[in-house]
Amino acid sequence: MGGLKDELLKAIWHAFTALDLDRSGKVSKSQLKVLSHNLCTVLKVPHDPVALEEHFRDDDEGPVSNQGYMPYLNKFILEKVQDNFDKIEFNRMCWTLCVKKNLTKNPLLITEDDAFKVWVIFNFLSEDKYPLIIVPEEIEYLLKKLTEAMGGGWQQEQFEHYKINFDDSKDGLSAWELIELIGNGHFSKGMDRQTVSMAINEVFNELILDVLKQGYMMKKGHKRKNWTERWFVLKPNIISYFVSEDLKDKKGDILLDENCCVESLPDKDGKKCLFLIKCFEKTFEISASDKKKKQEWIQAIHSTVQLLKLGSPPPHKEARQRRKELRRKLLAEQEELERQMKELQAANENKQQELESVRKKLEEAASRAADEEKKRLQTQVELQTRFSTELEREKLIRQQMEEQVAQKSSELEQYLQRVRELEDMYLKLQEALEDERQARQDEETVRKLQARLLEEESSKRAELEKWHLEQQQAIQMTEAEKQELEQQRVLKEQALQEAMAQLEQLELERKQALEQYEGVKKKLEMATNMTKSWKDKVAHHEGLIRLIEPGSKNPHLITNWGPAAFTQAELEEREKSWKEKKTTE
């Protein structure tokens, strides 16, 4: 559906552009109403007269732009189109709207009907962008097809010369420029108008009507079994046969699908060049005019069935798509190449800038070198002047040195005399040194004796130091034990204080228990008196009741604090608890 919509839009674009008289990109609503009604009629789409009014209800008087019309066209017309309309009638309607405005007034070698077919072919081969143009590659393809259909030879050099003179400012030709190019006979010289018209019609049938092959052949009838000549037209999914090539009286169709097949038959019943077309419901026997035609038809039908099996489009549509994809690929590669060239150019500019910067630096360095050379020459002159001065000064110093040498010579004579005197003194000094050496030997003997005594003294001192160290360690151990005993004493004092505190607490608890005992004793005495009183009363009144008197009591415990307020078991338990507490502390 997307491909059909693109094809319809191209023809509608021509019609819309023709209605745009002032080329402002806008068309009045009244003209769009007529255009929409005509489109719905030829495309067999239900027409909704209110939809356009509702779509442009805010712009009742002003013109309606193409951008504003496209949403309406897509929603209410193109999305509802089915593949059940007459494409030639649709193209004819759009052609009628645009031909008068655009077709050149110059006399052409082709008729208006041929110009219409060229216009439809242009829409088929043009690029999918607006404004519509046909690129030179597609122009070459179309002119080659026309030349082959006319039976002429293709002049590649002539077309290359035309491409050289082609306007570089344009990427291709418009539909009307293409019609003028074919109509002026530039590429069909020597051909009459009828031959050109037949070639245009043949190319139109192939590219637009999807006619893969056509021609006269004999067909055997199904009922009367007679042989009749028919004009056969092969399309991607059907073979139609007519009475003649004017296509006015259609006699039937042979529906092709992926299950159909074509077979060659031997000659029989006086008929030659026979072949058989097997379909789902019927089988058709066909007789070609010669063996070449027979083989061409068998091959064409077989190729058509193979395309149906593969679900591929017709060869010319597939070839057009491949050419467009190739152009897109080449365009992408060209854009990539341009991008790379721009990057290289930018890199080259950067390199030029770097070289310019280096050149400037070299010029600056050369300038600095010249300045330094100038300074060096100046310094050299100064050094030469200074060297001359130093040379004069050195000569003066040399004269002074010679005078000093003469003076030193006389002083040397005096010095030698003194040396001889010193040699005599040296001999005497050696004798004194010999005496001193002997004295040093005696001194060395005494020193060794003192060293032995000192060694003995140092050993004694080391032993005393050891004893002193042991004594210090013993003192330190004693101090540690003393500190430990002090800590134990402190701990015991703390335990004693805690025991005294516990003893005071127990004393307080004992006093409280004694007070409780005194209170309980008083209560017991009162209870005993009461019981005795009641016993006397009961004995007096009853005389038969004998009271059970309490048994003998255990002897009271007497502690160092007085009569015990607790039993023996309770006291043992308290003593045990006090001892455990004392142990933990």
Side-chain angles (χ1 to χ4, degrees), residues 472-485:
Q472 289 292 332
Q473 290 177 351
I475 292 172
Q476 289 177 358
M477 290 177 64
T478 304
E479 288 293 332
E481 291 176 356
K482 183 178 179 182
Q483 289 179 1
E484 186 176 358
L485 291 173

Side-chain angles (χ1 to χ4, degrees), residues 550-554:
S552 61
K553 297 181 180 179
N554 292 325

